[in-house]
Amino acid sequence: MSRLTVWNAETNREILVTEDAERISAELSAIGVRFERWPLADIPADADADAILAAYRPHLDAFLASSGAGTADVIKLTPDHPMKDALRAKFLSEHTHTEDEVRFFHGGTGNFVLHMDGPEGPRVFDAHCGPGDLISVPAHSKHWFDAGESPNFAVVRVFTDTTGWTPHYTGTDMAERFPAATA
């Protein structure tokens, strides 16, 4: 289930919690983040990468055409993956990327937490994404990602150049001050 929690980043005061997909999309759109729901394909959550890509090909082709991105792949992470702790740690600190970070959740959940300045001041947006959710975090946006201590997801990644995914850490304590609401 999708959920958006928004905080005032200066006071740590919670401003909004919603599970309404239209409201989530509107709130995130206001800060330049694309959020939409795609119908889930009738394939198992543990389907292989080729089956997942084939099942979402019409949506992916339309997205690739509209975004200018070049290709897509699938990444899966399960609680028994030997590198799960290292992979989680890599994205828990606030960072940016040089290209948009686009993810479509076929199975499982994860949180993209964004630290954005806006007309009302700095805000933190915790977008808890689940099956059927697509999120596109714009290049150079301060954010972090968490799928919890027992990650279990299958997501489609969309990209132009994989080197754009290298995290550039900001060195702030924002991720510690606003841990993702993974439950």
Side-chain angles (χ1 to χ4, degrees), residues 47-70:
D48 70 24
D50 290 337
I52 292 170
L53 289 171
Y56 293 105
R57 182 56 52 202
H59 293 289
L60 282 171
D61 287 346
F63 185 89
L64 292 170
S66 72
S67 68

mmCIF file of all heavy atoms in Angstrom, residues 47-70:
data_model
loop_
_atom_site.group_PDB
_atom_site.id
_atom_site.type_symbol
_atom_site.label_atom_id
_atom_site.label_comp_id
_atom_site.label_asym_id
_atom_site.label_seq_id
_atom_site.Cartn_x
_atom_site.Cartn_y
_atom_site.Cartn_z
ATOM 1 N N ALA A 47 8.523 -13.700 -10.208
ATOM 2 C CA ALA A 47 8.807 -13.986 -11.616
ATOM 3 C C ALA A 47 10.224 -13.541 -11.958
ATOM 4 O O ALA A 47 10.781 -12.643 -11.312
ATOM 5 C CB ALA A 47 7.793 -13.268 -12.505
ATOM 6 N N ASP A 48 10.806 -14.151 -12.987
ATOM 7 C CA ASP A 48 12.167 -13.751 -13.351
ATOM 8 C C ASP A 48 12.150 -12.398 -14.066
ATOM 9 O O ASP A 48 11.098 -11.893 -14.457
ATOM 10 C CB ASP A 48 12.878 -14.836 -14.162
ATOM 11 C CG ASP A 48 12.337 -15.024 -15.571
ATOM 12 O OD1 ASP A 48 11.728 -14.094 -16.140
ATOM 13 O OD2 ASP A 48 12.548 -16.116 -16.127
ATOM 14 N N ALA A 49 13.328 -11.826 -14.222
ATOM 15 C CA ALA A 49 13.466 -10.473 -14.761
ATOM 16 C C ALA A 49 12.873 -10.353 -16.161
ATOM 17 O O ALA A 49 12.176 -9.367 -16.463
ATOM 18 C CB ALA A 49 14.935 -10.066 -14.766
ATOM 19 N N ASP A 50 13.107 -11.325 -17.016
ATOM 20 C CA ASP A 50 12.575 -11.249 -18.382
ATOM 21 C C ASP A 50 11.055 -11.235 -18.392
ATOM 22 O O ASP A 50 10.435 -10.499 -19.158
ATOM 23 C CB ASP A 50 13.101 -12.408 -19.233
ATOM 24 C CG ASP A 50 14.585 -12.281 -19.547
ATOM 25 O OD1 ASP A 50 15.114 -11.141 -19.509
ATOM 26 O OD2 ASP A 50 15.217 -13.322 -19.832
ATOM 27 N N ALA A 51 10.441 -12.049 -17.528
ATOM 28 C CA ALA A 51 8.976 -12.095 -17.464
ATOM 29 C C ALA A 51 8.416 -10.766 -16.949
ATOM 30 O O ALA A 51 7.387 -10.288 -17.440
ATOM 31 C CB ALA A 51 8.522 -13.252 -16.575
ATOM 32 N N ILE A 52 9.089 -10.180 -15.963
ATOM 33 C CA ILE A 52 8.636 -8.898 -15.420
ATOM 34 C C ILE A 52 8.731 -7.810 -16.485
ATOM 35 O O ILE A 52 7.779 -7.053 -16.719
ATOM 36 C CB ILE A 52 9.433 -8.521 -14.156
ATOM 37 C CG1 ILE A 52 9.094 -9.498 -13.010
ATOM 38 C CG2 ILE A 52 9.148 -7.080 -13.740
ATOM 39 C CD1 ILE A 52 9.989 -9.361 -11.789
ATOM 40 N N LEU A 53 9.856 -7.731 -17.170
ATOM 41 C CA LEU A 53 10.016 -6.717 -18.217
ATOM 42 C C LEU A 53 9.000 -6.911 -19.334
ATOM 43 O O LEU A 53 8.402 -5.938 -19.818
ATOM 44 C CB LEU A 53 11.438 -6.737 -18.764
ATOM 45 C CG LEU A 53 12.510 -6.209 -17.822
ATOM 46 C CD1 LEU A 53 13.902 -6.475 -18.387
ATOM 47 C CD2 LEU A 53 12.314 -4.725 -17.538
ATOM 48 N N ALA A 54 8.786 -8.147 -19.755
ATOM 49 C CA ALA A 54 7.820 -8.419 -20.822
ATOM 50 C C ALA A 54 6.399 -8.035 -20.394
ATOM 51 O O ALA A 54 5.642 -7.459 -21.185
ATOM 52 C CB ALA A 54 7.872 -9.896 -21.221
ATOM 53 N N ALA A 55 6.062 -8.316 -19.144
ATOM 54 C CA ALA A 55 4.706 -8.029 -18.663
ATOM 55 C C ALA A 55 4.406 -6.535 -18.631
ATOM 56 O O ALA A 55 3.263 -6.124 -18.820
ATOM 57 C CB ALA A 55 4.520 -8.642 -17.275
ATOM 58 N N TYR A 56 5.425 -5.730 -18.380
ATOM 59 C CA TYR A 56 5.221 -4.275 -18.280
ATOM 60 C C TYR A 56 5.697 -3.527 -19.523
ATOM 61 O O TYR A 56 5.725 -2.297 -19.532
ATOM 62 C CB TYR A 56 5.920 -3.734 -17.026
ATOM 63 C CG TYR A 56 5.276 -4.247 -15.767
ATOM 64 C CD1 TYR A 56 5.880 -5.238 -15.018
ATOM 65 C CD2 TYR A 56 4.035 -3.759 -15.359
ATOM 66 C CE1 TYR A 56 5.274 -5.735 -13.869
ATOM 67 C CE2 TYR A 56 3.420 -4.252 -14.219
ATOM 68 C CZ TYR A 56 4.048 -5.248 -13.483
ATOM 69 O OH TYR A 56 3.434 -5.735 -12.353
ATOM 70 N N ARG A 57 6.043 -4.249 -20.592
ATOM 71 C CA ARG A 57 6.593 -3.624 -21.783
ATOM 72 C C ARG A 57 5.746 -2.462 -22.321
ATOM 73 O O ARG A 57 6.303 -1.407 -22.627
ATOM 74 C CB ARG A 57 6.832 -4.684 -22.870
ATOM 75 C CG ARG A 57 7.443 -4.153 -24.152
ATOM 76 C CD ARG A 57 8.757 -3.407 -24.014
ATOM 77 N NE ARG A 57 9.765 -4.137 -23.289
ATOM 78 C CZ ARG A 57 10.806 -3.547 -22.683
ATOM 79 N NH1 ARG A 57 10.977 -2.246 -22.734
ATOM 80 N NH2 ARG A 57 11.688 -4.254 -22.022
ATOM 81 N N PRO A 58 4.416 -2.574 -22.439
ATOM 82 C CA PRO A 58 3.660 -1.422 -22.969
ATOM 83 C C PRO A 58 3.822 -0.165 -22.103
ATOM 84 O O PRO A 58 4.009 0.933 -22.629
ATOM 85 C CB PRO A 58 2.204 -1.904 -22.967
ATOM 86 C CG PRO A 58 2.298 -3.399 -23.002
ATOM 87 C CD PRO A 58 3.555 -3.741 -22.239
ATOM 88 N N HIS A 59 3.779 -0.322 -20.788
ATOM 89 C CA HIS A 59 3.953 0.818 -19.882
ATOM 90 C C HIS A 59 5.383 1.345 -19.960
ATOM 91 O O HIS A 59 5.616 2.554 -19.969
ATOM 92 C CB HIS A 59 3.621 0.440 -18.443
ATOM 93 C CG HIS A 59 2.186 0.126 -18.230
ATOM 94 N ND1 HIS A 59 1.202 1.081 -18.260
ATOM 95 C CD2 HIS A 59 1.557 -1.052 -17.991
ATOM 96 C CE1 HIS A 59 0.031 0.520 -18.049
ATOM 97 N NE2 HIS A 59 0.222 -0.779 -17.890
ATOM 98 N N LEU A 60 6.353 0.420 -19.997
ATOM 99 C CA LEU A 60 7.753 0.827 -20.071
ATOM 100 C C LEU A 60 8.060 1.574 -21.361
ATOM 101 O O LEU A 60 8.739 2.604 -21.343
ATOM 102 C CB LEU A 60 8.668 -0.392 -19.963
ATOM 103 C CG LEU A 60 8.864 -0.951 -18.573
ATOM 104 C CD1 LEU A 60 9.604 -2.283 -18.637
ATOM 105 C CD2 LEU A 60 9.618 0.032 -17.710
ATOM 106 N N ASP A 61 7.554 1.064 -22.473
ATOM 107 C CA ASP A 61 7.807 1.736 -23.748
ATOM 108 C C ASP A 61 7.257 3.162 -23.734
ATOM 109 O O ASP A 61 7.917 4.095 -24.189
ATOM 110 C CB ASP A 61 7.215 0.947 -24.914
ATOM 111 C CG ASP A 61 8.006 -0.327 -25.217
ATOM 112 O OD1 ASP A 61 9.142 -0.461 -24.714
ATOM 113 O OD2 ASP A 61 7.479 -1.177 -25.953
ATOM 114 N N ALA A 62 6.046 3.339 -23.200
ATOM 115 C CA ALA A 62 5.455 4.677 -23.115
ATOM 116 C C ALA A 62 6.270 5.564 -22.185
ATOM 117 O O ALA A 62 6.519 6.742 -22.485
ATOM 118 C CB ALA A 62 4.003 4.580 -22.640
ATOM 119 N N PHE A 63 6.703 5.016 -21.049
ATOM 120 C CA PHE A 63 7.498 5.797 -20.109
ATOM 121 C C PHE A 63 8.836 6.182 -20.723
ATOM 122 O O PHE A 63 9.270 7.334 -20.622
ATOM 123 C CB PHE A 63 7.717 5.022 -18.801
ATOM 124 C CG PHE A 63 8.436 5.830 -17.767
ATOM 125 C CD1 PHE A 63 7.722 6.630 -16.888
ATOM 126 C CD2 PHE A 63 9.813 5.822 -17.683
ATOM 127 C CE1 PHE A 63 8.380 7.406 -15.950
ATOM 128 C CE2 PHE A 63 10.482 6.596 -16.745
ATOM 129 C CZ PHE A 63 9.757 7.391 -15.876
ATOM 130 N N LEU A 64 9.499 5.234 -21.353
ATOM 131 C CA LEU A 64 10.800 5.509 -21.970
ATOM 132 C C LEU A 64 10.664 6.592 -23.042
ATOM 133 O O LEU A 64 11.501 7.492 -23.131
ATOM 134 C CB LEU A 64 11.403 4.238 -22.564
ATOM 135 C CG LEU A 64 11.837 3.168 -21.557
ATOM 136 C CD1 LEU A 64 12.196 1.868 -22.271
ATOM 137 C CD2 LEU A 64 12.984 3.636 -20.701
ATOM 138 N N ALA A 65 9.600 6.528 -23.817
ATOM 139 C CA ALA A 65 9.386 7.528 -24.863
ATOM 140 C C ALA A 65 9.132 8.914 -24.271
ATOM 141 O O ALA A 65 9.629 9.920 -24.781
ATOM 142 C CB ALA A 65 8.217 7.114 -25.760
ATOM 143 N N SER A 66 8.392 8.968 -23.166
ATOM 144 C CA SER A 66 8.057 10.273 -22.571
ATOM 145 C C SER A 66 9.189 10.865 -21.744
ATOM 146 O O SER A 66 9.271 12.071 -21.577
ATOM 147 C CB SER A 66 6.803 10.162 -21.697
ATOM 148 O OG SER A 66 7.079 9.450 -20.501
ATOM 149 N N SER A 67 10.073 10.019 -21.240
ATOM 150 C CA SER A 67 11.118 10.502 -20.336
ATOM 151 C C SER A 67 12.477 10.668 -21.007
ATOM 152 O O SER A 67 13.366 11.316 -20.447
ATOM 153 C CB SER A 67 11.265 9.552 -19.144
ATOM 154 O OG SER A 67 11.792 8.312 -19.574
ATOM 155 N N GLY A 68 12.648 10.039 -22.152
ATOM 156 C CA GLY A 68 13.941 10.096 -22.814
ATOM 157 C C GLY A 68 14.954 9.113 -22.236
ATOM 158 O O GLY A 68 16.113 9.113 -22.636
ATOM 159 N N ALA A 69 14.523 8.282 -21.294
ATOM 160 C CA ALA A 69 15.419 7.273 -20.732
ATOM 161 C C ALA A 69 15.685 6.208 -21.789
ATOM 162 O O ALA A 69 14.937 6.074 -22.758
ATOM 163 C CB ALA A 69 14.803 6.658 -19.482
ATOM 164 N N GLY A 70 16.737 5.440 -21.577
ATOM 165 C CA GLY A 70 17.154 4.514 -22.612
ATOM 166 C C GLY A 70 16.740 3.073 -22.447
ATOM 167 O O GLY A 70 16.431 2.408 -23.415
#
